[in-house]
Amino acid sequence: AIITTSTPVGTSAAAIEDLLGALRRLPGVVHAGGTSRPVIELAFNGSEFDRPPGVTLTTTVESMPITAGYLEAASLLPITGRVPTEAEFANGAAVIAVSDIVAHQYWPGQPAVGQSLVNQGRAFTVVGVVPDARYLALDMEPQGTIYWPLSASPRPYLWNVLVTLPQDRSLTPPDVVRWFA
């Protein structure tokens, strides 16, 4: 389920992580995580990270500040490396996961894990490569994505929450929406 929400201006990253932590503890929630970017809404924000020197792109790249649990809820499990840990998400660590498109375009013929990208003068280390995802529309080819801890953002906010629910339907999307109300 995708839930669109909006946290008040000035909400701390810690408060957002606490909210999603409480959601994850609901009986029946398998995974839950959030992002401050639209999902499947034909909205493109671009990347906040500098490209490596000399890189020419053949596709657009988006950077998505995310919370713990987001990659798991989106079924974006690592192809290589790992996803950032809960502690890294909570502390705003300078770590990122990149999609397969980004890995191949930014570091052709080289492993992406261990490379770094810069965001506003701060170097972030790639800890994992995840599959590509469709964020603009389901009928559009995936674009490259850089995932970084929402808590590392200077102005964190929550826009979309992804929730993986149980197969047995013991918890339904309306149940989760009521919990947010």
Side-chain angles (χ1 to χ4, degrees):
I2 299 174
I3 300 166
T4 300
T5 186
S6 181
T7 52
V9 173
T11 301
S12 71
I16 292 169
E17 288 288 351
D18 288 347
L19 171 73
L20 292 171
L23 175 60
R24 284 184 212 103
R25 289 188 295 277
L26 281 179
V29 170
V30 178
H31 297 290
T35 180
S36 63
R37 297 286 191 258
V39 176
I40 312 297
E41 294 186 22
L42 284 175
F44 184 75
N45 294 291
S47 178
E48 297 176 36
F49 288 83
D50 299 336
R51 286 191 306 249
V55 170
T56 304
L57 298 178
T58 58
T59 186
T60 53
V61 173
E62 173 85 50
S63 61
M64 292 185 68
I66 61 171
T67 69
Y70 180 87
L71 294 170
E72 294 85 353
S75 296
L76 297 174
L77 304 179
I79 297 169
T80 60
R82 62 179 177 82
V83 298
T85 66
E86 284 194 33
E88 290 168 332
F89 277 114
N91 297 326
V95 296
I96 53 178
V98 299
S99 71
D100 200 35
I101 287 173
V102 172
H104 286 96
Q105 286 194 13
Y106 280 16
W107 304 286
Q110 300 175 44
V113 174
Q115 303 285 350
S116 64
L117 292 174
V118 176
N119 177 340
Q120 298 180 3
R122 184 177 181 196
F124 285 71
T125 301
V126 177
V127 296
V129 177
V130 297
D132 298 307
R134 297 171 194 267
Y135 284 111
L136 299 176
L138 294 177
D139 62 345
M140 294 178 71
E141 289 302 313
Q143 305 297 305
T145 310
I146 301 166
Y147 301 95
W148 56 300
L150 181 125
S151 56
S153 174
R155 292 172 304 283
Y157 64 95
L158 190 60
W159 182 278
N160 277 292
V161 176
L162 297 183
V163 181
T164 306
L165 300 173
Q167 295 285 337
D168 67 7
R169 298 195 174 258
S170 58
L171 188 66
T172 65
D175 297 329
V176 177
V177 170
R178 277 192 294 278
W179 181 83
F180 266 95

